[in-house]
Amino acid sequence: MAVSGKVAALRLPPLPTIGEIIKLYNLRAEKQLSQNFLLDMRLTDKIVRQAGSLKNAHVCEVGPGPGGLTRSILNAGAADLLVVEKDSRFMPSLKLLAEAAPGRVRIVHGDILTYKMERGFTPDIATKWDDEPPNLHVIGNLPFSVSTPLIIRWLEHASSHSGPFAFGRTRLTLTFQKEVAERLTASTGSRQRSRLSVMAQTYCTVRNCFTIPGKAFVPKPDVGLTLTHRNPFILSPHTPTLRDRHKHTHTHTRTHTLFFSSLLSCQ
């Protein structure tokens, strides 16, 4: 009975639907920001399940918007949810969720492309690179405009064990345009094979989970999206985590920097 009560306490109380929130705050998806809303909680729950168990987990959600995916993350049992949102219009709806889940939601009003995630969580959650991944997940329904630059930035971080990977082999569960997801997982000899494929598969195991039809979004995008899940390989077991930084310093080489800059310019 005590266990049931604890699980129930992690679930959100009754709230207005995401559709009602959008109307209440007069929210619209901005085309110039390539925003698309997911309103179906069954679908957001399905996305969250692909991340694995979130019970008592630390999670960073990228671009939560009005908070549909955020609700599913909280209902899955995340104990510490950091949301990073650039658009100030979504702050009231996110604060509503924070009030509904006391002590479990932290809101950062900022740009994920420049946000230093290693500052978002405490060093004690870190694991060594060759151990099991930390109880930390990055989840997000990414806007089209930032998805490719962001994954390139995070691949660079995976190579240097910085950013989200300062804590160990942090797992990522993210949506991409279908064509980008196909490039991320393209095998040798495939027409979709690109530099992005090579780098993603050099540093991570990457799998496409399922395709989300465009009609599931408001407004409907021109193309469908694919949910991908990636987990970094064990490449350098002696590279220090954030917890070890006072003993070691790790920098990536100029060659890496030039390669990632070249990769970004080619997308």
Side-chain angles (χ1 to χ4, degrees), residues 4 14 31 58 74 85 91 101 109 114 132 171 174 185 197 209 218-219 224 242 250 252 255 260 262:
S4 307
K31 189 173 183 180
H58 302 269
L74 290 169
E85 176 56 63
M91 292 299 113
H109 184 198
T114 57
E132 289 298 309
R171 291 157 288 186
L174 305 164
T185 57
S197 315
C209 302
V218 177
L242 187 67
H250 182 81
H252 38 156
T255 302
F260 282 109
S262 173

Side-chain angles (χ1 to χ4, degrees), residues 224-239:
L225 278 76
T226 297
L227 182 74
T228 69
H229 181 82
R230 56 186 56 75
N231 190 24
F233 288 127
I234 301 174
L235 292 175
S236 178
H238 301 296
T239 301

